């Protein structure tokens, strides 16, 4: 499945796998983020820390009303203010996706 955009230069098709890989790479570089987590929880509520080649398992892409909606599953460092980490992630992912 892909996301299609129509521009004055023609049609642009971007695969959802490309979007998930790009978003996962950006998120993993943010301050306070340990890494991406799998969507599925392991035994006892623990999350699996994903390696670079599996970032797409920690990102869900949905298209609503012509806009993309990304669900990011992250692991935050101990002692970090979660709201600040999330604000930075949102800012950087939005910038890269635009």
């Amino acid at each position: 499945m892909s996301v299609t955009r129509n521009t004055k230069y023609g049609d642009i098709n971007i695969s959802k796998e490309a979007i998930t890989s790009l978003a996962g790479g950006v998120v993993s570089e943010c301050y306070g983020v340990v890494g991406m987590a799998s969507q599925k929880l392991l035994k006892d509520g623990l999350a699996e820390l994903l390696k670079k080649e599996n970032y797409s398992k920690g990102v869900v892409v949905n298209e609503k009303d012509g806009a993309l909606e990304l669900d990011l599953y992250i692991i935050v460092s101990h002692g970090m203010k979660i709201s600040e980490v999330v604000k930075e992630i949102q800012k950087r992912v939005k910038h890269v996706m635009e």
Side-chain angles (χ1 to χ4, degrees), residues 13-43:
N13 294 315
I14 304 170
S15 71
K16 288 194 177 183
E17 291 80 21
I19 293 170
T20 58
S21 293
L22 185 60
V26 170
V27 169
S28 66
E29 295 172 357
C30 289
Y31 180 73
V33 175
V34 174
M36 298 294 295
S38 176
Q39 300 171 36
K40 299 177 181 174
L41 292 178
L42 298 176
K43 193 166 111 179

Side-chain angles (χ1 to χ4, degrees), residues 4 6 12 15 25 32 34 36 54 62-63 67-72 74 79 82 85 87 91 93:
T4 303
N6 299 323
I12 300 172
S15 71
V34 174
M36 298 294 295
N54 293 328
N62 296 311
E63 192 170 6
L68 291 179
E69 182 180 280
L70 300 174
D71 293 332
L72 305 168
I74 61 170
I82 295 174
V85 174
K87 190 185 303 181
K91 183 175 83 173
V93 169

Side-chain angles (χ1 to χ4, degrees), residues 41-96:
L41 292 178
L42 298 176
K43 193 166 111 179
D44 298 328
L46 299 175
E48 174 188 6
L49 183 62
L50 299 173
K51 294 187 175 17
K52 193 172 192 172
E53 60 273 0
N54 293 328
Y55 284 157
S56 61
K57 292 182 181 178
V59 181
V60 176
V61 179
N62 296 311
E63 192 170 6
K64 288 187 179 179
D65 301 327
L68 291 179
E69 182 180 280
L70 300 174
D71 293 332
L72 305 168
Y73 294 84
I74 61 170
I75 299 174
V76 178
S77 291
H78 178 73
M80 297 299 300
K81 192 170 181 181
I82 295 174
S83 62
E84 292 298 319
V85 174
V86 170
K87 190 185 303 181
E88 181 66 19
I89 290 170
Q90 288 174 336
K91 183 175 83 173
R92 290 182 76 180
V93 169
K94 180 180 178 188
H95 174 73
V96 169

